[in-house]
Amino acid sequence: MDKKEFYIKSYCTIENGVIALNGRPVFQDDEKDFLKFIKSAYKSLEIGYPKFYKMDALSKLSFIAADVLLDHEKVMPEDEKNIAIVFSNKASSLDTDRKHQASIEDEEGYGASPSVFVYTLPNICIGEISIKYKLYSENSFFIFDRFNAAHLHQYAESLLKTEKADEVLCGWVDVDGESYSAYIYLVSQKGEIQHKEEEIYRLYNN
């Protein structure tokens, strides 16, 4: 039986005002305010998904990164596909949790806001991507102190080798106040970059 080999087909990063696809910038802005920056990117990239405006910061970050990558790979919502999603970060949904807590403590307000509360789980960002692209495969969200390439590598390989997924969208999506970072990549049986821990770290550090 032939041993299957897997590759990093494409990757997208968002950090310090730059959105890059496979190492090449596709959008840049000096705006320091994250929400203004990501809104500007959404408009410039002409994504056209009105629900974007209702998302929390983590979902907006994840959604834009995934959309840039999946659009590049010509993944269409109407096509049948088996793409799993495995994301991670260190702050969970803390950025939204703070807003939720503030709404509860606001004596002059009307209590907790359902539109904020719905985003008080980090995996909701995966749901937003899945809704647009109609991805019904396995998905998981892990919380680590730091980027954990070993875990992502092992988990993705397991999904692919057991044929629970044809491809896996993996990575790190983290928002905490004005600090934000996204690094996602698509693992497949096609590509040029071998799916190895050292390669995952190399692309992350670049």
Side-chain angles (χ1 to χ4, degrees), residues 56 58 89-99 119-123 141 143 174-175:
D56 73 330
L58 180 62
N89 73 10
K90 66 178 179 180
S92 187
S93 56
L94 181 60
D95 189 73
T96 301
D97 294 345
R98 290 196 191 101
K99 294 174 183 175
Y119 289 102
T120 54
L121 286 172
N123 63 324
F141 200 110
I143 312 300
D174 197 61
V175 176

Side-chain angles (χ1 to χ4, degrees), residues 28-73:
Q28 289 181 262
D29 195 324
D30 293 331
E31 176 61 60
K32 302 301 181 185
D33 182 289
F34 170 72
L35 291 177
K36 290 180 180 178
F37 160 74
I38 207 70
K39 182 179 178 181
S40 179
Y42 168 83
K43 290 181 177 180
S44 177
L45 295 169
E46 299 180 344
I47 292 174
Y49 191 71
K51 194 183 175 185
F52 171 83
Y53 292 101
K54 296 181 180 180
M55 298 179 192
D56 73 330
L58 180 62
S59 293
K60 287 178 178 177
L61 175 70
S62 307
F63 182 85
I64 294 294
D67 200 79
V68 168
L69 192 157
L70 295 175
D71 180 68
H72 170 74
E73 290 297 334

Side-chain angles (χ1 to χ4, degrees), residues 7-204:
Y7 300 87
I8 296 173
K9 199 173 181 183
S10 292
Y11 64 99
C12 178
T13 58
I14 304 179
E15 197 168 27
N16 299 323
V18 179
I19 300 177
L21 175 67
N22 296 328
R24 297 183 178 181
V26 296
F27 176 80
Q28 289 181 262
D29 195 324
D30 293 331
E31 176 61 60
K32 302 301 181 185
D33 182 289
F34 170 72
L35 291 177
K36 290 180 180 178
F37 160 74
I38 207 70
K39 182 179 178 181
S40 179
Y42 168 83
K43 290 181 177 180
S44 177
L45 295 169
E46 299 180 344
I47 292 174
Y49 191 71
K51 194 183 175 185
F52 171 83
Y53 292 101
K54 296 181 180 180
M55 298 179 192
D56 73 330
L58 180 62
S59 293
K60 287 178 178 177
L61 175 70
S62 307
F63 182 85
I64 294 294
D67 200 79
V68 168
L69 192 157
L70 295 175
D71 180 68
H72 170 74
E73 290 297 334
K74 295 181 171 51
V75 175
M76 305 299 291
E78 60 270 20
D79 295 336
E80 185 176 342
K81 58 271 177 187
N82 185 14
I83 303 175
I85 304 178
V86 182
F87 282 174
S88 59
N89 73 10
K90 66 178 179 180
S92 187
S93 56
L94 181 60
D95 189 73
T96 301
D97 294 345
R98 290 196 191 101
K99 294 174 183 175
H100 175 58
Q101 185 64 33
S103 69
I104 294 174
E105 295 174 352
D106 183 3
E107 296 179 358
E108 297 181 1
Y110 297 95
S113 167
S115 63
V116 174
F117 176 71
V118 72
Y119 289 102
T120 54
L121 286 172
N123 63 324
I124 299 301
C125 68
I126 293 177
E128 298 289 12
I129 298 165
S130 299
I131 289 170
K132 177 176 180 180
Y133 283 95
K134 295 182 172 60
L135 304 180
Y136 307 120
S137 304
E138 184 153 336
N139 63 75
S140 300
F141 200 110
F142 298 96
I143 312 300
F144 300 114
D145 289 337
R146 62 184 65 84
F147 180 67
N148 190 331
H151 183 87
L152 294 176
H153 175 267
Q154 292 168 9
Y155 203 92
E157 292 261 330
S158 175
L159 290 173
L160 293 165
K161 288 177 179 177
T162 57
E163 299 184 348
K164 290 183 178 178
D166 297 328
E167 296 181 314
V168 185
L169 187 64
C170 288
W172 177 266
V173 285
D174 197 61
V175 176
D176 188 1
E178 293 307 317
S179 174
Y180 62 93
S181 174
Y183 161 56
I184 65 171
Y185 54 94
L186 187 65
V187 186
S188 173
Q189 290 192 57
K190 299 177 181 179
E192 297 181 359
I193 303 171
Q194 287 191 309
H195 185 233
K196 294 183 176 181
E197 285 182 43
E198 55 265 35
E199 289 295 328
I200 295 171
Y201 269 122
R202 180 180 67 83
L203 297 178
Y204 171 73

